């Protein structure tokens, strides 16, 4: 297969760096351009990016020159967007209008009725919205979004329960890593020896996105899934990996063993198609009483699998469990790449 040309917008940031690292040697995609703000444009990538990944900056990237974020100068078919939402609001439609397929991490277009909020294991059929989007907006290109990092981890764990037992209501509380706030998101003095029980807009995103992600695609539109959800989000002093405690009431009343079986046997279209970034299995079930933990479990499935553990009965809800996922891989760059792999494989 001839490789598809891809570019990363916001290539110097936390998510942008993950894209650079995950696209190295990718079998479908060739990274032909990188772009960031005017602070970075024109500089060597090695000078513009404060590299934070332990794997080190790929040698081939050091001397690449950072482009401006302008459809006229970007050489690619698919652009991965790791831009702040307010910037993405104008930039992403400009690229879609110019014929690029935008695979976006930003929240700017996630709620739009004709924009897929895609998790290929959960709702690959939502890609059918692209036809509606092109018709509505007259674009040659398209915008496909992936959900917020906390929503991705949560909904991947909800999908087998939703399909097997139905969901009535749930409560989730998150312990979210520092990298989720972006490179200069939370100052050291605010977070050392501390937990911050507030992440602006996060609880609203988790609550609304979950309904769209688990919704059905019918007659050119998404019908939201119906269940009650309440989220409480916290920033904690870990580098990568969001841990979430979930308390859930199911429509049917399965045993703990049946819930564990549903997690263990879960798989989706990316696994069937053997997409390069698809984790096998997508859900790792831990049996230890003190797992999952961010430091030990965030790299499960090369950072693309979520880990579930501590499945047990609850005295108020039916079941409770813990779930963990890597926020900049499964929750961001890896999610977008998996979306683009599905898009490419389905020849959309
Ligand atoms: N971090 C996560 O875990 C995570 C997870 C899911 C989704 N997201 C979303 O992904 C996006 C990127 O997040 P991040 O954590 O990577 O943020 P970040 O570390 O702050 O990086 C932001 C990137 O955008 C560029 N940028 C900033 N202002 C710009 C402007 N005015 N014009 C053009 N480029 C601009 C920056 O370039 P310069 O270096 O040149 O300033 C940098 O490359 C956000 O929308 C975020 O909500 C993040």
């Amino acid at each position: 297969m001839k490789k598809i040309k891809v570019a990363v917008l916001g290539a110097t940031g936390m998510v942008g760096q993950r894209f650079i690292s995950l696209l190295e040697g990718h079998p479908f995609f060739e990274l032909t351009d990188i772009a960031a703000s005017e602070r970075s444009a024109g500089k060597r990538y090695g000078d513009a990016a404060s590299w934070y990944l332990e794997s080190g900056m790929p040698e081939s990237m050091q001397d690449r020159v950072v482009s401006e974020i302008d459809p006229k100068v970007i050489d690619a078919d698919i652009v991965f967007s790791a831009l702040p939402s307010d910037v993405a609001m104008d930039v992403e439609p400009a690229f879609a209008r110019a014929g690029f397929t935008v695979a976006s991490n930003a929240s700017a277009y996630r709620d739009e009725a004709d924009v897929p909020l895609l998790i290929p294991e959960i709702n690959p059929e939502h890609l059918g919205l692209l036809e509606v989007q092109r018709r509505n907006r007259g674009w040659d290109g398209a915008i496909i979004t992936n959900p917020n990092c906390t929503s991705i981890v949560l909904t991947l764990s909800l999908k087998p329960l939703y399909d097997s037992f139905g969901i009535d209501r749930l409560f989730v509380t998150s312990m979210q890593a520092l990298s989720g706030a972006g490179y200069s998101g939370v100052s050291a003095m605010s977070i050392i020896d501390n937990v911050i029980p507030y992440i602006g807009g996060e609880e609203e995103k988790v609550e609304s996105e979950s309904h769209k992600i688990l919704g059905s695609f019918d007659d050119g539109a998404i019908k939201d899934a119906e269940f009650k959800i309440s989220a409480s989000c916290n920033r904690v002093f870990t580098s990568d990996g969001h841990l979430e405690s979930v308390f859930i009431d199911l429509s049917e009343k399965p045993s703990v063993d049946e819930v564990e079986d549903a997690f263990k046997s879960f798989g989706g279209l990316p696994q069937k198609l053997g997409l390069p970034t698809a984790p096998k299995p997508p859900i790792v079930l831990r049996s230890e009483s003190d797992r999952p933990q961010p430091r030990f479990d965030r790299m499960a499935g090369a950072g693309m699998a979520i880990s579930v553990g501590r499945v047990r009965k609850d005295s108020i809800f039916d079941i409770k469990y813990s779930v963990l996922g890597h926020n900049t891989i499964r929750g961001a760059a890896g999610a977008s790449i998996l979306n683009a792999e599905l898009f490419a494989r389905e020849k959309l």
Side-chain angles (χ1 to χ4, degrees):
M1 164 179 174
K2 189 166 173 278
K3 286 199 180 181
I4 297 165
K5 295 198 274 185
V6 300
V8 177
L9 312 181
T12 49
M14 305 295 268
V15 176
Q17 293 183 25
R18 278 290 173 200
F19 274 117
I20 302 293
S21 141
L22 294 172
L23 288 168
E24 182 85 338
H26 192 284
F28 292 6
F29 304 133
E30 180 192 358
L31 182 61
T32 44
D33 226 331
I34 48 171
S37 79
E38 56 191 21
R39 294 178 287 277
S40 306
K43 290 186 184 163
R44 289 171 67 247
Y45 186 70
D47 294 332
S50 300
W51 191 260
Y52 94 104
L53 303 182
E54 283 162 12
S55 53
M57 183 183 291
E59 201 47 47
S60 59
M61 293 304 300
Q62 297 277 355
D63 291 328
R64 293 275 285 263
V65 176
V66 179
S67 298
E68 291 168 56
I69 297 187
D70 178 348
K72 290 197 283 300
V73 304
I74 297 294
D75 173 29
D77 301 307
I78 295 176
V79 292
F80 292 110
S81 168
L83 294 168
S85 261
D86 56 332
V87 180
M89 187 62 82
D90 295 329
V91 166
E92 292 180 357
F95 274 83
R97 210 172 295 121
F100 296 85
T101 298
V102 182
S104 173
N105 276 276
S107 59
Y109 290 91
R110 284 181 196 149
D111 291 342
E112 297 280 312
D114 58 358
V115 175
L117 188 55
L118 192 66
I119 301 181
E121 286 93 341
I122 299 181
N123 57 15
E125 70 282 3
H126 288 199
L127 271 181
L129 275 181
L130 292 187
E131 206 184 306
V132 181
Q133 189 187 107
R134 287 188 178 130
R135 211 169 43 233
N136 286 352
R137 303 189 188 236
W139 292 341
D140 288 333
I143 298 178
I144 302 166
T145 60
N146 52 258
N148 163 282
C149 38
T150 310
S151 309
I152 293 182
V153 173
L154 173 67
T155 51
L156 269 169
S157 77
L158 295 181
K159 174 69 173 168
L161 306 184
Y162 186 72
D163 286 350
S164 303
F165 314 115
I167 296 175
D168 287 342
R169 60 173 193 154
L170 69 114
F171 167 69
V172 56
T173 186
S174 70
M175 289 143 272
Q176 301 185 211
L178 282 176
S179 60
Y183 191 77
S184 33
V186 181
S187 80
M189 280 313 292
S190 304
I191 198 72
I192 286 176
D193 188 27
N194 209 4
V195 171
I196 301 172
Y198 172 71
I199 302 175
E202 194 80 352
E203 294 170 357
E204 294 79 359
K205 284 182 200 162
V206 173
E207 291 171 3
S208 72
E209 290 179 12
S210 300
H211 291 128
K212 183 172 179 184
I213 296 163
L214 289 162
S216 55
F217 177 64
D218 193 20
D219 207 13
I222 305 294
K223 185 171 179 296
D224 280 358
E226 285 178 22
F227 51 83
K228 288 186 182 152
I229 174 169
S230 169
S232 170
C233 296
N234 305 280
R235 184 75 65 198
V236 300
F237 192 39
T238 49
S239 57
D240 291 311
H242 291 354
L243 179 62
E244 303 173 27
S245 295
V246 181
F247 302 75
I248 189 162
D249 272 342
L250 300 162
S251 313
E252 290 173 23
K253 302 298 170 196
S255 65
V256 167
D257 284 349
E258 286 170 322
V259 169
E260 290 190 331
D261 284 345
F263 285 134
K264 267 193 284 196
S265 57
F266 178 66
L269 185 61
Q271 285 71 31
K272 281 197 195 104
L273 294 175
L275 295 179
T277 303
K280 292 181 211 72
I283 299 179
V284 175
L285 184 70
R286 305 294 321 192
S287 55
E288 304 89 331
S289 56
D290 61 353
R291 299 282 278 272
Q293 294 181 22
R295 188 143 53 92
F296 300 126
D297 297 309
R298 61 192 165 207
M299 288 310 292
M304 285 297 288
I306 59 159
S307 297
V308 170
R310 303 209 66 219
V311 182
R312 59 213 190 277
K313 289 274 182 198
D314 183 51
S315 56
I316 297 177
F317 290 80
D318 294 334
I319 293 283
K320 56 186 167 184
Y321 62 89
S322 301
V323 57
L324 173 91
H326 198 300
N327 54 297
T328 63
I329 303 180
R330 182 75 232 205
S336 269
I337 292 173
L338 188 61
N339 286 353
E341 288 171 2
L342 179 66
F343 175 84
R345 180 55 71 85
E346 304 276 279
K347 295 195 174 48
L348 285 157

